[in-house]
Amino acid sequence: MAIRNLIQLRVVLLKNDILNLTTDGLKLVRLGIEPWLGKLILQCFEHRLGKEGLVLAAIMPNASSIFCKMGNEEDKLKFDHYKVQFCHPNGDLLTVLSVYKEWEGVPQ
């Protein structure tokens, strides 16, 4: 399963029953992080979105805890209302990024 995932990420090629690292695979080895996060970072840098890629790679492993709902039912509904303003139509990655950008813009 792990090898198949690496092949799908195109960081490993299987040729004549031999596994070889691709150019991205060699870069990922040097990063020393989870392959899917490293691939995300590399692709973002290729599209001149390096900062966004680094932010996403840092946040994604804990993304489920970004929207924390605490308190009574009324408070939870209020939190859901606030959450909706961050939801991005193109998916969770962009939702997480919009939350980060909003947080980054808050004065210290």
Side-chain angles (χ1 to χ4, degrees), residues 70-102:
M70 299 173 64
N72 59 34
E73 289 303 314
E74 184 179 326
D75 289 338
K76 290 178 183 179
L77 287 172
K78 186 167 73 173
F79 289 128
D80 281 341
H81 175 74
Y82 292 135
K83 175 183 174 181
V84 169
Q85 68 185 355
F86 294 105
C87 291
H88 197 282
N90 291 328
D92 291 345
L93 279 176
L94 295 177
T95 295
V96 169
L97 191 58
S98 69
V99 170
Y100 172 80
K101 287 185 175 191
E102 184 73 22

Side-chain angles (χ1 to χ4, degrees), residues 29-52:
V29 170
R30 291 182 19 216
L31 286 176
I33 60 175
E34 289 285 333
W36 69 276
L37 293 173
K39 185 69 174 190
L40 173 69
I41 292 170
L42 292 176
Q43 286 184 332
C44 285
F45 270 96
E46 287 175 13
H47 296 284
R48 298 179 187 257
L49 297 167
K51 179 182 176 184
E52 289 81 355

Side-chain angles (χ1 to χ4, degrees), residues 49-60:
L49 297 167
K51 179 182 176 184
E52 289 81 355
L54 292 170
V55 166
L56 287 171
I59 295 174
M60 284 309 295

Side-chain angles (χ1 to χ4, degrees), residues 57-74:
I59 295 174
M60 284 309 295
N62 300 307
S64 63
S65 64
I66 288 176
F67 295 110
C68 178
K69 294 195 285 187
M70 299 173 64
N72 59 34
E73 289 303 314
E74 184 179 326

